[in-house]
Amino acid sequence: MKNTVLTFREAKEKGEKLTMLTAYDYSTAKLIDEAGVNSILVGDSLGNVILGYEDTLSVTMEDMIHHGAAVARGAKNALVIIDMPFMSYQTSVYDAVVNAGRLMKEGRAGAVKLEGGKEVCPQIKAIVAAGIPVVAHLGLTPQSINAFGGFKVQGKNEAAAKKLMEDAKAIEEAGAFAVVLECVPAKLAELITKELRIPTIGIGAGNICDGQVLVYQDMLGMFSDFTPKFVKRFATVGEVMKEAFSAYCREVQEGTFPAKEHEYTIADDVLEKLY
Ligand code: KIV
């Protein structure tokens, strides 16, 4: 069954949990899609896990379109959401609509995601008015890492918790169809989830959220630069990959790979003519 914005709305109404994972390429998107995950996020976390940057600030529109289109080709049923990169929407409402449009036209997204609360509501309204579904992102918003002074849990004190709740209500009012809550205390995320009509998707926000998202390299144990507290390793694929790469080196060096079954043949009489 094809997942759409309606899937998100119905899941919230029925109290069914939504699943979301990141992907940045065709093969991984295909595997995630075949596993039945509701939605694939082409996150700007690709800056960290694919491109090796320290943060997400250098990710470009071209990066997101290039990887988004590859994911869209691999995802038959999952709703593909592409992140709007840093400075592709903060600069103006016009830029936001033009760039969201490019992610839909060139990246073949089913929806876009952007970070921020009240301050980006004019952008959300305009993008939604252009017929493009929007997911908002609150809490620890990595594009504002320099303003936060590091990767820190958000909404811990009264003023910050109040602001998060107000932002959540504002982005819902502006027309977002879902919101990612990142690094938010579980009880605050629960309260926001109960107040909103749109689904909350948590990452480091407890298990009362309407759905969950993880970066796939984190949950497969493929990325070790840093591992936040909220990550659960569902497999140690990184170890399996390293063992396979070592086995390949060993067999090539020993001359046991390629073996007979990996060779192509040629008729002897053709070969004889070469002598
Ligand atoms: O970029 C990303 O992968 C994200 C998730 C962590 C929610 O925004």
Side-chain angles (χ1 to χ4, degrees):
M1 269 281 283
K2 187 94 188 134
N3 288 273
T4 67
V5 292
L6 295 181
T7 317
F8 276 63
R9 188 190 300 165
E10 282 165 16
K12 175 92 181 187
E13 283 164 9
K14 292 182 188 157
E16 288 169 4
K17 295 279 190 186
L18 288 158
T19 52
M20 183 186 289
L21 283 173
T22 66
Y24 317 92
D25 69 278
Y26 170 80
S27 317
T28 312
K30 207 160 170 239
L31 290 170
I32 292 174
D33 189 79
E34 285 166 6
V37 172
N38 294 118
S39 169
I40 300 180
L41 172 65
V42 187
D44 61 356
S45 51
L46 79 84
N48 306 105
V49 294
I50 300 292
L51 302 176
Y53 298 139
E54 262 179 31
D55 53 44
T56 58
L57 303 189
S58 304
V59 175
T60 64
M61 275 297 294
E62 273 58 43
D63 293 332
M64 297 313 297
I65 288 168
H66 182 72
H67 289 270
V71 167
R73 287 190 287 273
K76 275 216 323 247
N77 294 318
L79 175 65
V80 175
I81 300 165
I82 305 184
D83 259 350
M84 299 197 68
F86 185 54
M87 286 299 131
S88 69
Y89 58 95
Q90 291 94 338
T91 42
S92 71
V93 169
Y94 177 81
D95 286 350
V97 176
V98 168
N99 286 320
R102 286 193 67 198
L103 295 178
M104 302 296 281
K105 277 174 83 124
E106 300 170 55
R108 302 301 304 171
V112 300
K113 177 166 83 58
L114 52 77
E115 297 181 3
K118 281 184 190 162
E119 69 283 7
V120 291
C121 281
Q123 282 88 331
I124 294 176
K125 276 188 195 153
I127 297 169
V128 171
I132 300 171
V134 176
V135 178
H137 185 156
L138 295 172
L140 175 58
T141 44
Q143 292 176 15
S144 305
I145 197 66
N146 290 305
F148 293 143
F151 289 92
K152 293 183 173 70
V153 179
Q154 301 298 305
K156 292 271 274 187
N157 62 45
E158 191 187 329
K162 202 160 162 256
K163 180 174 179 343
L164 249 174
M165 179 62 88
E166 285 169 6
D167 279 339
K169 288 182 178 166
I171 58 90
E172 174 176 87
E173 195 53 39
F177 75 94
V179 57
V180 168
L181 298 177
E182 180 165 354
C183 281
V184 172
K187 289 203 169 135
L188 176 58
E190 179 176 354
L191 215 59
I192 294 172
T193 300
K194 287 191 174 137
E195 284 288 320
L196 296 190
R197 295 181 306 277
I198 58 171
T200 56
I201 309 295
I203 175 161
N207 78 355
I208 304 297
C209 290
D210 299 303
Q212 296 292 326
V213 57
L214 281 176
V215 170
Y216 90 83
Q217 285 90 343
D218 285 342
M219 57 90 73
L220 293 184
M222 292 170 65
F223 184 74
S224 54
D225 288 7
F226 62 92
T227 307
K229 179 181 175 188
F230 58 73
V231 169
K232 173 176 174 179
R233 283 200 174 163
F234 286 79
T236 49
V237 174
E239 286 305 313
V240 174
M241 287 171 79
K242 261 198 267 178
E243 276 164 29
F245 296 147
S246 303
Y248 166 77
C249 290
R250 206 169 44 247
E251 291 192 23
V252 168
Q253 285 155 359
E254 287 168 353
T256 52
F257 175 81
K260 278 276 165 253
E261 67 264 31
H262 307 117
E263 291 179 357
Y264 298 101
T265 57
I266 184 169
D268 285 346
D269 58 331
V270 176
L271 262 190
E272 274 158 22
K273 295 208 174 75
L274 299 178
Y275 292 108

